[in-house]
Amino acid sequence: MIVESGNSLQETKRRNRILIKNKIFRMEHALRNEIARELGLTLPTITNSINEMIREGLVITEPLSQESRNKNSGRRPLAVAFRREAAYAIGIELGPYYSRVILVNLRGEAVESVTNPKASESYGKMMSELENLVEHFLHRIDRDQLIGIGIGVPGFVDTDRGRIRYTFREDWNGKTLGEDLGRRFSVPVSVDNNTRLRATGYEMLLREERPGMFAYFFVSRGIACPILMNDLVLSGDSAGAGELGQTVLLSSDHEGQKRTVTTDQLASESALFELCRREMAEGRLAALRKRLDAGEELTMRLILELQMGGDQEIDALIDSCIHGQALAMANVVNLLNPNAVVVDAYMMTWKTNRERLVAYAREHFFGMNEKDVEIRFREYDSYDGALGAALGCIQKNFLNI
């Protein structure tokens, strides 16, 4: 609660407005009295701030749907919402397999999206690719409607400067991507870890009760697990993703040689690809070899298709990866005791794999965690990373100012 008194009335109004904007964005039906109740502010304070945003062309009023009105007795209430075309953000995910770009309006809705092949390993060429993609979307809107560009990259990021500290594309390391692209288009450009942005985007679009603390369990080329508490991603200055894939699941010393095995080496998509290559080299996985010989690429889509088609060899390899994921998830749950774990993974688009992960993980949850910690599965969408980058941009450059 913010008390409407003190040394600076203007600062109090500004801070109240930030809270109100965030509530409007996150509520399915933003009613003035409910915003007042949830924030602990007076109804006149809410009304004055909203009326000001209506005059600015940022907010409109809308009648509730018939279903929603049935839940409310008395006079027909009007909800408030951001005007869709008032502003836009561009979100970009420079992922390990593809580059995806999305244009998002002020309600967090996708207007248009584009997929490109994975970005060039050369920083200069990648910048040229980004400029072309941004120009494509700028033709859809007036430039003064663009509140910023959000970019998600794997690895460690200096978010203050938009500098890539470390990623697997070596030529990008040390480059100030945010400043470089910002100079080109004269708009704010924010850069962050792509998984952190996925988690932020997930939280911003929740229309149900939010967990006070949740772990965002993301499986891709590697495995990451940022933690969100009270709408904020927990992170140090390095702005990594919670590199769960680098945690050690096995350490042994055999005949004088020390060996450690990380979660990424056991349970990531990269680990699964390596298992498939090893099995094929030893004469197994005939169905997969046939598809690759016919010109297809080794992808999660192909592997999952074979598993769902009844390939028992593929199924066994995926099952071993899910076991590793379950162990890593249990370590997070037993250490931090979050309210929920949100799983974001392409291989979990098949219900059987979801059921296995839940069963294997709960075997290793300690004490009350087995009953208390909810495991949620995010419906997979290839644009979630780009969407999270755009939503993070809206959060930073509109909702929180």
Side-chain angles (χ1 to χ4, degrees):
M1 173 179 176
I2 293 181
V3 180
E4 297 177 79
S5 62
N7 296 329
S8 173
L9 179 60
Q10 285 301 114
E11 176 61 14
T12 299
K13 287 179 62 178
R14 185 189 72 83
R15 293 169 65 193
N16 285 344
R17 178 169 162 134
I18 288 173
L19 292 176
I20 294 166
K21 285 194 293 185
N22 274 275
K23 278 297 177 187
I24 292 173
F25 189 91
R26 286 170 167 81
M27 295 177 73
E28 185 174 7
H29 304 293
L31 301 172
R32 292 174 176 84
N33 60 341
E34 292 186 4
I35 296 173
R37 176 177 54 80
E38 291 197 19
L39 293 179
L41 296 170
T42 66
L43 187 57
T45 296
I46 303 300
T47 298
N48 290 338
S49 183
I50 288 175
N51 286 344
E52 183 179 71
M53 287 188 277
I54 290 174
R55 291 192 294 271
E56 294 170 1
L58 297 174
V59 168
I60 60 173
T61 59
E62 295 179 335
L64 291 181
S65 65
Q66 184 63 48
E67 178 184 357
S68 300
R69 288 203 300 271
N70 290 340
K71 300 176 184 178
N72 294 273
S73 59
R75 189 172 58 182
R76 178 183 180 185
L78 289 175
V80 293
F82 289 118
R83 192 166 63 88
R84 288 181 171 88
E85 64 274 18
Y88 297 88
I90 294 174
I92 303 168
E93 182 180 33
L94 301 174
Y97 307 127
Y98 298 95
S99 292
R100 303 195 194 272
V101 191
I102 195 167
L103 179 67
V104 171
N105 65 29
L106 201 54
R107 294 195 192 180
E109 300 165 339
V111 177
E112 185 180 347
S113 56
V114 171
T115 294
N116 266 19
K118 65 181 178 182
S120 172
E121 301 282 334
S122 161
Y123 181 77
K125 291 181 180 179
M126 179 273 290
M127 282 294 297
S128 296
E129 295 166 359
L130 279 189
E131 290 175 7
N132 291 334
L133 288 167
V134 172
E135 286 286 2
H136 169 80
F137 286 110
L138 287 178
H139 292 305
R140 291 289 311 271
I141 61 175
D142 294 331
R143 288 205 174 212
D144 59 1
Q145 291 180 298
L146 183 65
I147 61 176
I149 301 169
I151 305 176
V153 297
F156 293 82
V157 178
D158 175 354
T159 55
D160 290 336
R161 296 182 58 199
R163 181 172 68 92
I164 301 172
R165 299 187 63 202
Y166 174 79
T167 187
F168 63 90
R169 291 152 169 147
E170 294 185 3
D171 192 46
W172 299 11
N173 292 334
K175 303 299 195 299
T176 52
L177 176 56
E179 293 179 1
D180 294 343
L181 199 64
R183 281 194 299 268
R184 171 65 179 81
F185 293 103
S186 300
V187 295
V189 177
S190 52
V191 185
D192 206 333
N193 174 273
N194 63 324
T195 310
R196 285 162 47 92
L197 290 172
R198 282 174 171 267
T200 296
Y202 174 82
E203 183 279 323
M204 289 179 67
L205 292 180
L206 277 179
R207 296 296 181 259
E208 56 194 85
E209 184 176 351
R210 288 170 169 75
M213 176 182 180
F214 69 87
Y216 194 87
F217 192 88
F218 179 59
V219 181
S220 182
R221 179 177 182 267
I223 296 178
C225 191
I227 307 298
L228 273 80
M229 178 180 289
N230 298 327
D231 305 346
L232 296 174
V233 180
L234 302 182
S235 175
D237 294 336
S238 64
E243 296 295 336
L244 185 62
Q246 296 306 305
T247 56
V248 176
L249 290 183
L250 175 65
S251 180
S252 62
D253 193 339
H254 181 65
E255 297 180 351
Q257 292 187 341
K258 189 172 182 179
R259 175 175 177 261
T260 60
V261 180
T262 66
T263 301
D264 275 351
Q265 292 171 323
L266 281 179
S268 66
E269 289 182 358
S270 295
L272 182 57
F273 294 157
E274 181 59 30
L275 283 172
C276 288
R277 294 187 188 100
R278 193 182 309 159
E279 291 292 298
M280 286 188 292
E282 295 179 2
R284 291 182 283 273
L285 303 186
L288 179 59
R289 285 203 318 273
K290 182 179 179 180
R291 298 284 291 271
L292 297 180
D293 290 343
E296 295 190 55
E297 294 184 16
L298 181 61
T299 63
M300 270 308 307
R301 184 180 298 276
L302 174 56
I303 293 172
L304 190 63
E305 179 185 328
L306 291 172
Q307 183 197 24
M308 294 172 66
D311 190 312
Q312 295 301 308
E313 292 179 306
I314 291 288
D315 183 75
L317 297 182
I318 292 179
D319 189 72
S320 70
C321 287
I322 294 174
H323 267 288
Q325 293 166 17
L327 291 175
M329 181 189 295
N331 287 337
V332 172
V333 166
N334 293 335
L335 177 65
L336 298 175
N337 188 225
N339 302 107
V341 179
V342 178
V343 181
D344 181 357
Y346 181 74
M347 72 173 67
M348 293 300 155
T349 54
W350 195 31
K351 182 181 178 182
T352 297
N353 289 342
R354 296 184 181 199
E355 293 171 346
R356 289 178 182 178
L357 180 62
V358 171
Y360 297 157
R362 291 203 182 280
E363 287 178 3
H364 300 283
F365 284 5
F366 178 73
M368 297 303 295
N369 287 328
E370 184 179 353
K371 294 182 178 180
D372 292 347
V373 177
E374 177 188 4
I375 300 177
R376 301 181 180 183
F377 290 89
R378 185 173 189 178
E379 290 300 323
Y380 182 83
D381 189 306
S382 59
Y383 283 96
D384 281 339
L387 178 61
L391 292 173
C393 178
I394 290 173
Q395 179 83 57
K396 181 177 182 179
N397 298 317
F398 175 72
L399 296 179
N400 285 354
I401 61 173

